[in-house]
């Protein structure tokens, strides 16, 4: 059943499972794809865009700081590239705020969890366009009004389910190298109106270039670079 479900999502099970450490395993139960650690099978990592906390945020999406940071005044139909999709929450918030979002996730296992969550969306909620791969390849292949970067590790959340699975996410990314500076440099060369970088509130900018403006929140801030 797992193999069939992954094929339905557009993933080859054999190549996908080769991406996992020996103590991690994918499972498909009760219609949900999840990633499990053999030492704590009661705390799987899965993505649920229908959970109550996110549903509340989606209902008041125009109050979200990420939306305020990415929105361009007096412009509609904003095309946005989320270069670091992660758990997909910001991409979902931006999509529901009226942006046309293309989101890239380069880890195939996390991309599969995202694709599964998008499959379970209610019919009245539009899905963002999920792509597997390195977003740098898309910067100059298509035009986007806004490029959004969230290079920080997604370790802050109030969702108990996700908190329990964060150690799995850390293990999934343990071999990855922080290329946030290179990602920003590549975005800077792209033809876009705005680059938005999400950072932990007290962290330093990832570049020496001064942002056009910043939007601050309790735990994070958004450095906004207006290109034109």
């Amino acid at each position: 059943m797992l193999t069939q479900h992954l094929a339905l999502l557009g993933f080859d099970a054999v190549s996908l499972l080769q991406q996992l450490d020996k103590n991690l395993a994918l499972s498909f139960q009760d219609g949900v794809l999840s990633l499990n650690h053999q030492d704590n099978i009661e705390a799987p990592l899965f993505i649920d865009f229908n959970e109550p906390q996110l549903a509340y945020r989606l209902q008041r999406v125009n109050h979200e700081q990420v939306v305020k940071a990415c929105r361009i005044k007096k412009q509609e139909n904003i095309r946005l590239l989320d270069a670091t999709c992660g758990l997909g929450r910001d991409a979902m918030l931006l999509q529901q705020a009226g942006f046309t979002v293309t989101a890239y996730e380069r880890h195939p296992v996390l991309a599969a969890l995202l694709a599964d969550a998008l499959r379970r969306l209610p019919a009245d909620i539009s899905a963002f366009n999920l792509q597997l791969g390195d977003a740098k390849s898309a910067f100059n292949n298509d035009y986007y009004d806004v490029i959004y970067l969230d290079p920080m590790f997604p370790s802050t959340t109030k969702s108990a389910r996700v908190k329990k699975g964060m150690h799995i996410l850390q293990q999934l990314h343990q071999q990855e190298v922080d290329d946030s500076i290179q990602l920003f440099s590549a975005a800077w060369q792209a033809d876009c109106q705005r680059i938005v970088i999400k950072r932990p509130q007290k962290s330093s900018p990832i570049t020496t270039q001064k942002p056009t403006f910043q939007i601050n929140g309790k735990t994070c801030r958004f450095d906004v670079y207006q290109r034109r």
Side-chain angles (χ1 to χ4, degrees), residues 73-91:
K73 190 175 182 180
K74 296 182 180 180
Q75 181 171 336
E76 298 181 356
N77 303 319
I78 298 174
R79 298 189 64 192
L80 183 141
L81 174 63
D82 183 345
T84 49
C85 187
L87 296 176
R89 295 188 174 200
D90 287 340

Side-chain angles (χ1 to χ4, degrees), residues 24 35-37 43-45 165-173:
L24 294 178
L35 185 61
N36 305 270
H37 193 287
L45 173 67
M166 286 310 297
H167 66 289
I168 301 178
L169 193 59
Q170 290 171 350
Q171 184 172 346
L172 202 61
H173 286 287

Side-chain angles (χ1 to χ4, degrees), residues 1 6 9 36 48 53 55 64 69-70 86 94 97 104 109 134 138 150 199 201 226:
M1 185 175 292
L6 289 173
L9 296 175
N36 305 270
D48 183 10
Q53 184 193 21
E64 293 286 334
C70 294
L94 290 162
Y104 273 76
V109 175
D134 191 330
D150 178 8
R199 300 292 291 154
Q201 180 58 265
Q226 189 67 31

Side-chain angles (χ1 to χ4, degrees), residues 206-217:
I206 65 172
T207 174
T208 57
Q209 298 186 55
K210 185 177 180 180
T212 308
F213 64 92
Q214 295 176 315
I215 294 181
N216 292 289

Side-chain angles (χ1 to χ4, degrees), residues 139-176:
F139 286 165
N140 295 309
N141 292 335
D142 204 349
Y143 175 78
Y144 295 94
D145 299 293
V146 179
I147 294 178
Y148 176 67
L149 310 176
D150 178 8
M152 66 179 181
F153 191 78
S155 59
T156 56
T157 174
K158 294 182 180 179
S159 170
R161 287 181 176 176
V162 175
K163 275 187 176 180
K164 290 179 180 179
M166 286 310 297
H167 66 289
I168 301 178
L169 193 59
Q170 290 171 350
Q171 184 172 346
L172 202 61
H173 286 287
Q174 65 182 353
Q175 301 299 328
E176 292 191 7

